[in-house]
């Protein structure tokens, strides 16, 4: 059990280190277009897939 705890703490520290060391890649224009098309920022109750949502 002690080994699992040490491994979990080491991996958590590695994750935090990588998060702080590497910059976040911004979304490119094509990804933003897809998000805008599917309305991910719009109404949550209406569903997120236009093909399967009710007319």
């Amino acid at each position: 059990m002690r080994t699992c705890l040490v491994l979990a703490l080491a991996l958590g520290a590695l994750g935090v280190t990588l998060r702080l060391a590497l910059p976040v890649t911004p979304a490119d224009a094509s990804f933003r277009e897809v998000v805008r098309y599917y309305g991910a920022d719009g109404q949550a109750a209406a569903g997120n897939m236009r093909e399967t949502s009710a007319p």
Side-chain angles (χ1 to χ4, degrees):
M1 177 157 145
R2 190 178 307 157
T3 305
C4 289
L5 178 62
V6 170
L7 183 60
L9 291 174
L11 289 174
L14 176 65
V16 169
T17 303
L18 286 174
R19 175 65 179 94
L20 294 175
L22 299 175
V24 177
T25 304
D28 60 350
S30 61
F31 179 76
R32 284 192 302 268
E33 182 179 342
V34 169
V35 170
R36 188 170 37 253
Y37 176 78
Y38 282 103
D41 295 332
Q43 297 175 345
N48 63 351
M49 297 182 68
R50 290 187 180 174
E51 295 88 3
T52 59
S53 61

